[in-house]
Amino acid sequence: MCGIVATFNSNILNHKEISECKNMLKTLEKRGPDATNFTLHDHLFLGHTRLSIIDTRVISNQPFSDYEENLSILFNGEIYNYEFLKEDLLKKGYKFKTTSDTEVVLNLYKEYSTKAFGLLRGMFSILFFDKLKNEILIVRDSVGIKPLYYYFNKKKLLVSSQVKTLIIADIEKEIDFESKIDFYLMGYIVEPKTIFKNIKSLKSGSYMKFKLNKNDSIELLENKKFDILLNEKNIDLSKAIEESIGYHLVSDVEVGLFLS
């Protein structure tokens, strides 16, 4: 697993806020012990900790940007059909500087926008930053395997793979009484709620898009579910299981198997 943290501010980040972001990033190091990196823009901090599985080279570390450096990505997860998706993009003229699934996801989003999410077979939580449009988009896989949490008001957007990363920030930390009841009754908290009132979980199979406006306010543009695109109507279960296992074995490091 990897770790994602981002701060999108209505005002230019000051020294104190940047230091706060770096401290938030440190809490994610156990999620990604192989590399820790961040990039800064005037209003934005993008941080990532990496557990290297596919293309373990430094060039595949994140935050990762396209050739023009207009679109950046923070990615946690694994896309099992990325090689198939890459073939389609190569035919369309896309060039690649890595062999990672991260770059495939980035270019797939450039080509198909939000329709790309329905093409992905795998587990993922992703953040995209469009430098030209001053927009952030966050998305989570349809089953909700990979977590993604956010805090949002019109002045600030915080995103992270962990709730306890967000509570380091200077934000409200009021306990949600309804969430406590959920936990006592069911043993878990129903998404998008968390134990804190102002911190939410991104719903499984959905995406949210935010924009920094010229008046220095952050606006929520979209909050939608995405459609999963299935090509086969009649699925052979035995074949599907065999194919799924084959996809899960794709890795540039050793793979372990266990029965659950």
Side-chain angles (χ1 to χ4, degrees):
M1 59 183 175
C2 300
I4 290 172
V5 64
T7 296
F8 197 33
N9 222 9
S10 59
N11 301 312
I12 294 176
L13 290 168
N14 58 40
H15 179 75
K16 180 181 177 182
E17 289 168 326
I18 293 171
S19 179
E20 179 181 88
C21 290
K22 290 178 179 179
N23 288 333
M24 291 166 67
L25 183 59
K26 286 179 181 178
T27 68
L28 295 167
E29 288 180 348
K30 70 178 188 303
R31 295 184 63 91
D34 296 323
T36 299
N37 293 286
F38 68 88
T39 57
L40 274 172
H41 303 269
D42 287 343
H43 297 263
L44 179 71
F45 177 97
L46 296 177
H48 188 267
T49 60
R50 185 184 182 201
L51 176 65
S52 303
I53 297 174
I54 298 174
D55 195 348
T56 60
R57 297 175 298 167
V58 172
I59 193 175
S60 289
N61 287 346
Q62 301 174 47
F64 187 89
S65 299
D66 62 358
Y67 274 99
E68 298 78 20
E69 298 193 351
N70 291 325
L71 186 65
S72 300
I73 184 174
L74 298 177
F75 172 56
N76 173 30
E78 191 171 353
I79 306 303
Y80 304 124
N81 62 334
Y82 79 98
E83 292 176 322
F84 171 79
L85 297 171
K86 185 175 182 177
E87 289 178 9
D88 172 62
L89 293 168
L90 287 169
K91 291 176 183 176
K92 294 181 181 296
Y94 282 87
K95 296 180 180 179
F96 292 82
K97 48 191 173 183
T98 74
T99 57
S100 68
D101 52 350
T102 301
E103 189 172 14
V104 173
V105 173
L106 183 69
N107 285 327
L108 199 71
Y109 177 66
K110 287 180 69 173
E111 178 66 24
Y112 295 110
S113 187
T114 55
K115 291 181 179 179
F117 309 143
L119 299 171
L120 301 176
R121 294 182 63 175
M123 51 183 179
F124 56 86
S125 58
I126 311 169
L127 182 148
F128 297 96
F129 171 59
D130 189 320
K131 184 179 178 180
L132 298 179
K133 294 181 179 179
N134 250 334
E135 291 180 355
I136 276 185
L137 183 144
I138 54 176
V139 59
R140 188 177 176 207
D141 65 72
S142 58
V143 184
I145 298 175
K146 292 300 180 181
L148 202 60
Y149 302 95
Y150 66 93
Y151 166 90
F152 171 65
N153 59 34
K154 292 184 178 181
K155 293 294 183 182
K156 180 178 288 189
L157 169 68
L158 301 176
V159 180
S160 181
S161 302
Q162 298 180 165
V163 170
K164 67 179 182 179
T165 299
L166 297 180
I167 62 176
I168 288 178
D170 184 19
I171 60 173
E172 303 93 333
K173 303 176 182 69
E174 184 181 353
I175 297 294
D176 188 339
F177 182 75
E178 289 186 4
S179 295
K180 288 178 67 175
I181 298 298
D182 285 350
F183 186 77
Y184 291 146
L185 292 177
M186 298 179 290
Y188 66 95
I189 298 171
V190 180
E191 64 179 34
K193 293 186 291 184
T194 71
I195 195 64
F196 296 100
K197 274 189 176 181
N198 298 297
I199 297 176
K200 304 297 180 185
S201 170
L202 179 62
K203 288 184 179 180
S204 306
S206 68
Y207 67 89
M208 299 177 75
K209 184 184 289 187
F210 304 85
K211 181 179 179 64
L212 177 62
N213 293 318
K214 291 182 179 179
N215 64 356
D216 287 339
S217 66
I218 299 173
E219 178 186 2
L220 174 60
L221 298 180
E222 294 183 72
N223 184 4
K224 296 181 179 179
K225 299 284 284 185
F226 63 82
D227 296 323
I228 302 173
L229 305 178
L230 297 175
N231 295 324
E232 299 181 37
K233 294 182 179 179
N234 299 314
I235 299 176
D236 183 298
L237 182 58
S238 177
K239 181 181 177 182
I241 292 174
E242 184 177 342
E243 184 184 69
S244 178
I245 292 172
Y247 275 133
H248 281 69
L249 295 177
V250 176
S251 175
D252 290 337
V253 295
E254 292 183 358
V255 176
L257 301 177
F258 65 93
L259 297 177
S260 173

